Amino acid sequence: MHKYLLAACLAAFSMQAMASCDKLKEEIDAKLQAKGIKSYTLEIVPVAPAASAAPAAAAAASSAAATSAAAKPAAAAAPGKVVGNCDGGTKQIIYHRG
């Protein structure tokens, strides 16, 4: 019995990560509007793998032609707050003020 309860709880917590990005974005948008927040944008972006981003950034930084923007990971180039994950954790919904 405890195994079924545990499985049900785990499934419920992982449902947000498995949700459709557009549907989740609409739900987050509705919650923000209900709170009276008016000036914001929500953006769906792919999750950058941390393991492959670090070597790429190090290689770009060591290059003589590399600029400071090229050495930053994609998440650092587009500041914002992650407010949701979707499509099995492969994409994120980013909240930007104003």
Side-chain angles (χ1 to χ4, degrees):
M1 180 67 172
H2 293 290
K3 291 180 183 179
Y4 294 116
L5 182 59
L6 178 63
C9 288
L10 290 174
F13 289 122
S14 66
M15 286 306 227
Q16 183 179 8
M18 296 301 289
S20 164
C21 288
D22 292 328
K23 182 178 178 183
L24 183 59
K25 182 178 174 183
E26 289 173 8
E27 290 174 11
I28 294 169
D29 186 42
K31 289 179 184 180
L32 292 171
Q33 288 180 4
K35 290 182 179 184
I37 300 171
K38 302 209 184 271
S39 181
Y40 66 90
T41 58
L42 295 173
E43 180 181 12
I44 300 171
V45 296
V47 175
S52 65
S62 65
S63 173
T67 64
S68 62
K72 293 181 182 178
K81 181 179 179 183
V82 176
V83 293
N85 292 315
C86 52
D87 283 349
T90 60
K91 295 183 182 177
Q92 296 176 331
I93 299 178
I94 308 291
Y95 166 84
H96 300 278
R97 282 185 162 178

